[in-house]
Amino acid sequence: MYPMLWILFAEKGPKWTVMIILDKNKEPLWTGELELKENTAGFRPHKIRILKREGKELSDEEYFQSKDFINLLKKANRIMVASGGSPDREKELSSLLCAYQLKYENVNICRFCRMAQRFNFINKSSVRYHKEKICPDCAKDELRKVLKNSRQNMGDTTVDFFYETLLRTKDFEKTVAMLSAGRLDPEVTKYDTVKSVTAEKLTGIKKLPIHKRLKNLLLSKSETLLPVQSLAVDAGLLLGKNLLVVSATATGKTLVGEIAGIENILNGKGKMLYLVPLVALANQKYDQFQKRYSEIDLSVSIKIGAELIKTKSTSAMRKTLDSDIIVGTYEGIDHILRLGNADSLGKVGTVVIDEVHMLTDPERGHRLDGLIARLRYTFPETQFIYLSATVANPDYFAKKLDSNLVVYEHRPVPIERHLIFAQEHEKNRLMAQLIQDEYAMKSSKGHRGQTIIFTNSRVNCHTIAGALQSQGIPAAFYHAGLNLNERKVVENKFGRGEIPVVVTTAALAAGVDFPASQVIFESMAMGIEWLSVSDFLQMSGRAGRPDYHDRGIVVLMPVPGKSYLSGTKETEEEIAIALLKGGLLEEKFDYDEEEQLEELLASVSVTSSRLDLSKIHRSMFGSFSENMMLIKLQKFKFIELLGKEIRQTRLGQIASAYFLSVSKTYMIVDSIAANISVLHIITNLDFFTAATFKYAEQISKDLRMNLPSRVFQGAFMDIIFDGSNLKDVSPKYQKLLLNFAADMFVCSCAESPYCGCAERKFSEKIILLRTKGLEPIEIIRKLEDDYGISAYAGDVFSYLEDAVRNLEAIELIAKTVKKNEIAAAAKEMRLKIQG
């Protein structure tokens, strides 16, 4: 078969560029320069110089014979003349072609290709470049130059993303505009839209076979169930079936669990346990359920830990287990089981596990896995409802959880997802603009647009909120370091639409209910770890609530080239693109030895049968080296193996109930044997390290160096311990530093100040202040007055709660080893801390 021969003419000043093209190849066989000359017969070839052959420039002059060129024209399957040239010049070429009875056609070709002596048509795939169109290959070449000149240190993945965007939009200027987008522009920044679907069959509430009190309560809000709720009813929700409900945030899946729980309560099948991963979320659900279900005379309690510190803000909470609804954290309910007190929960009709995707959490996943298995074993007739917005392999999860699967993939409101590449110094201005634009809008339901900003640290929460406030925007920060009252103030103000923006940490607010229309990802990380796709989908799902908004907005603001850990190859903008592209990876459940030991020991709290113990662990996601771990638990004197039976020793009971590792348990045992004081024992178990120096910035200016704000970081410890530089610090701050050094750094350790004594003494200070009756916020004020050191009330509260749990463990272990004086001292201190 003969090759397809095309010949293209393109005007080049007084001459013509000629391209000899075989089989439609973009790289011509050869490219030449044609000079025409007029004689008595008309215009004829005068010189045809070959400039390039098979893509290579010719160094020596080479000419093509005129007669051979005419023969080549006669053989051509197609003769083309590039449009856009001079009409007079085209007449000259036409004269030549007509003389040999050759036809030609005008075509649009890429100007950039022509200048590079290549060939490509302008067609539907071409890219708009300023006021003309060029081929995709040339557009990519030009884009490559712009990206290189931007000096934004982009990774290969990001460059590929820009290429994809270029080919998708077919607009060079709009693609390049992504590098410096000043505000949301659907034509420039929008990545995609997650569409809503409204044409779905909804189940009428009046027709539901449910208790009258529940029906009336539901009818006071709506006449129909939402789609995911209707699907759950079809899957056996009202028939006592276990369900795994996978649906985006704001689709109404929470009410699925509530309907099952309340219906079972009203029909005498038992109370509802509603379990969540976060204390903040438990507090919020407790408040919501109290308001909602007091209308039908149901009682609500909260269980969020082994013991609860009594403060003015928490003393009013109902904590008894004798309630219709118990809202608890995973650990709060697990503590009851680990104590061997499952009977104290009474008759349980429904267990709702919210945010069940936490099974895949690398730190807490094994505990949730074990908790679910123990609950299923303890309450075999109970209905289990598992809720999640994202699960990588829902069919596998449903099978493992012995549940019917309900998947609802659509949102009730659409979400626009935008990507803005921003430099660090531009972010606050950009975010301020986005917040103001959103707050100025009102939905058809009458609600202002409000924003959640996710960032990767508490410090950034305060910094960003402060920067926005300086621009006149009422902004609030929200994180686990705040106490309950502080968090509630923010939640209530935001809920009433009084503040346009909340800045929060990714780890905390993914599950807390803020009715936002816009979510901004200021960072692509949690701490120093990149966000997972699952976390991202959970958090972005906060944008757009059906009762408030007509649509949601999600904005990612990565800094090109930024990373949080040295040695990581991914950069922030590459992570942002990967998050948008999605695709959940299947999770692995590989538990290390400590985790296997903990879960096996915890499960012995609910059964003494080795057969049943194996049954519990076969139902878990993680695999266990059961026999080997049991032998190790026996060696540690945590259990006794008695044929087909297994029992916890008293030491094992305490370790299990108080979430103590083997090493911490024996640290307590050895310390009690050595008659170490109770205060020393608890502070050796856990230091309080979340302290910051309030005046670090001012001291940095005095010393002309950049000091970290964390008190127990190396640079700050060196300055205080050395003391030689303190003369350069202003007297006010010098006194505070000297007070701290005098109280914390007096020890005889060779490794001082890195021996741990300073951290232990500071932790003791917090404990002792609490034993004098000070509230967490009062403890912080005292530390600020004495040392200029500050902390978050929530962190102090958590530390004191851990201290209470450890003190109770110390008390019980001391009793076990007949050290009654230490047991009494631990009890006395525990009661003082509890308040």
Side-chain angles (χ1 to χ4, degrees), residues 107-169:
V107 293
N108 291 319
I109 64 166
C110 173
R111 179 173 65 87
F112 280 66
C113 279
R114 190 176 72 190
M115 289 190 296
Q117 298 179 345
R118 295 194 307 267
F119 161 77
N120 211 339
F121 290 117
I122 296 298
N123 52 29
K124 290 181 179 179
S125 65
S126 300
V127 175
R128 183 175 297 282
Y129 180 84
H130 302 302
K131 294 182 179 181
E132 64 178 314
K133 286 190 174 183
I134 61 177
C135 74
D137 290 339
C138 290
K140 285 175 68 174
D141 288 341
E142 292 302 303
L143 179 59
R144 187 180 297 111
K145 295 174 187 175
V146 171
L147 295 178
K148 185 177 180 181
N149 291 335
S150 71
R151 298 180 180 177
Q152 295 203 27
N153 194 28
M154 292 183 176
D156 292 341
T157 304
T158 310
V159 173
D160 290 341
F161 168 75
F162 269 89
Y163 291 160
E164 292 169 10
T165 304
L166 179 72
L167 299 179
R168 176 171 54 84
T169 61

Side-chain angles (χ1 to χ4, degrees), residues 449-475:
Q450 291 171 276
T451 301
I452 297 173
I453 295 175
F454 285 116
T455 188
N456 70 318
S457 72
R458 298 176 186 179
V459 171
N460 281 348
C461 284
H462 289 257
T463 303
I464 294 168
L468 294 172
Q469 289 165 3
S470 70
Q471 298 180 66
I473 298 173

Side-chain angles (χ1 to χ4, degrees), residues 26 145 185 482 695 826:
K26 294 176 183 177
K145 295 174 187 175
D185 180 350
L482 306 181
Y695 308 106

Side-chain angles (χ1 to χ4, degrees), residues 374-599:
R374 289 185 282 277
L375 285 170
R376 287 172 62 187
Y377 172 79
T378 306
F379 304 107
E381 303 302 317
T382 295
Q383 183 178 13
F384 282 77
I385 308 294
Y386 308 97
L387 307 176
S388 180
T390 52
V391 172
N393 190 342
D395 291 306
Y396 170 70
F397 268 67
K399 183 178 180 181
K400 196 71 179 173
L401 293 169
D402 190 26
S403 302
N404 292 342
L405 178 61
V406 176
V407 177
Y408 179 66
E409 297 180 342
H410 305 294
R411 290 183 52 85
V413 296
I415 287 184
E416 283 186 14
R417 305 197 300 174
H418 293 256
L419 182 61
I420 296 179
F421 297 95
Q423 294 303 310
E424 208 70 65
H425 67 274
E426 299 175 315
K427 282 189 175 181
N428 289 334
R429 177 185 60 80
L430 289 170
M431 288 191 291
Q433 184 65 59
L434 295 174
I435 293 161
Q436 289 170 329
D437 289 348
E438 191 67 12
Y439 199 55
M441 298 180 66
K442 273 195 175 183
S443 71
S444 62
K445 301 167 180 71
H447 292 276
R448 283 180 177 272
Q450 291 171 276
T451 301
I452 297 173
I453 295 175
F454 285 116
T455 188
N456 70 318
S457 72
R458 298 176 186 179
V459 171
N460 281 348
C461 284
H462 289 257
T463 303
I464 294 168
L468 294 172
Q469 289 165 3
S470 70
Q471 298 180 66
I473 298 173
F477 47 81
Y478 184 96
H479 52 71
L482 306 181
N483 63 36
L484 178 59
N485 269 352
E486 290 172 321
R487 290 201 293 261
K488 280 190 174 181
V489 167
V490 176
E491 289 169 13
N492 292 336
K493 282 187 175 181
F494 196 86
R496 293 193 297 266
E498 295 174 6
I499 50 177
V501 58
V502 163
V503 189
T504 187
T505 51
L508 178 67
V512 178
D513 187 18
F514 283 119
S517 56
Q518 179 172 251
V519 166
I520 297 174
F521 288 86
E522 184 274 339
S523 168
M524 304 303 122
M526 280 188 179
I528 58 173
E529 300 291 338
W530 296 123
L531 284 172
S532 68
V533 173
S534 177
D535 291 328
F536 170 69
L537 293 177
Q538 284 279 338
M539 293 152 65
S540 60
R542 311 311 303 173
R545 310 305 298 272
D547 295 335
Y548 293 80
H549 311 118
D550 305 311
R551 59 95 180 97
I553 297 287
V554 172
V555 183
L556 286 76
M557 300 181 66
V559 177
K562 182 177 180 179
S563 186
Y564 294 90
L565 274 177
S566 60
T568 56
K569 61 180 181 179
E570 300 94 349
T571 54
E572 192 168 55
E573 85 285 355
E574 290 181 302
I575 295 297
I577 292 163
L579 292 174
L580 286 167
K581 289 184 176 180
L584 291 172
L585 298 176
E586 293 190 14
E587 307 291 351
K588 295 181 179 178
F589 298 90
D590 297 324
Y591 300 154
D592 63 26
E593 183 174 296
E594 280 281 354
E595 292 166 343
Q596 291 185 49
L597 289 171
E598 179 182 339
E599 296 313 318

Side-chain angles (χ1 to χ4, degrees), residues 59 99 236 292-293 361 368 486 504:
S59 55
R292 187 177 301 159
Y293 296 116
D361 184 86
L368 178 56
E486 290 172 321
T504 187

